[in-house]
Amino acid sequence: IYAPLVKEAVAHMECRVCQVVDLGNTALLMAIIMKATVDPRHFRDSQWIFDNGLELLHHVGGNRFTVSKHAVTAKEILNWNE
């Protein structure tokens, strides 16, 4: 796959679509990731690094997006059965 890449992006995934599911007014694309790359200044040890001003854009549905600027660590899950 030789897809065009956005030079400002901190990560790229090149995928091959293997199934398209018709959902009426939209479609769900199932794909296999063929190649993935990430800028090591912003991703190390399986974690995003926000120290260098990284802001990640997330699509949350329709025409809505949100931006994450820092990571949050969840508290330990309590065992409600005890």
Side-chain angles (χ1 to χ4, degrees):
I1 299 174
Y2 297 100
L5 303 177
V6 177
K7 74 175 185 175
E8 296 86 1
V10 296
H12 298 98
M13 289 192 305
E14 297 179 33
C15 303
R16 178 168 289 133
V17 175
C18 58
Q19 182 179 358
V20 178
V21 180
D22 184 0
L23 300 174
N25 63 347
T26 190
L28 173 65
L29 302 175
M30 305 297 284
I32 297 170
I33 299 171
M34 305 301 290
K35 180 180 178 183
T37 58
V38 65
D39 184 334
R41 294 175 299 165
H42 299 295
F43 192 83
R44 284 189 302 277
D45 301 322
S46 300
Q47 295 186 20
W48 289 107
I49 307 298
F50 292 91
D51 299 346
N52 298 327
L54 176 65
E55 296 181 4
L56 298 177
L57 179 68
H58 306 275
H59 180 245
V60 293
N63 65 348
R64 296 182 51 107
F65 295 83
T66 187
V67 176
S68 60
K69 296 181 181 183
H70 65 277
V72 178
T73 302
K75 293 180 181 178
E76 185 177 330
I77 297 175
L78 299 175
N79 185 346
W80 296 100
N81 295 322
E82 292 181 357

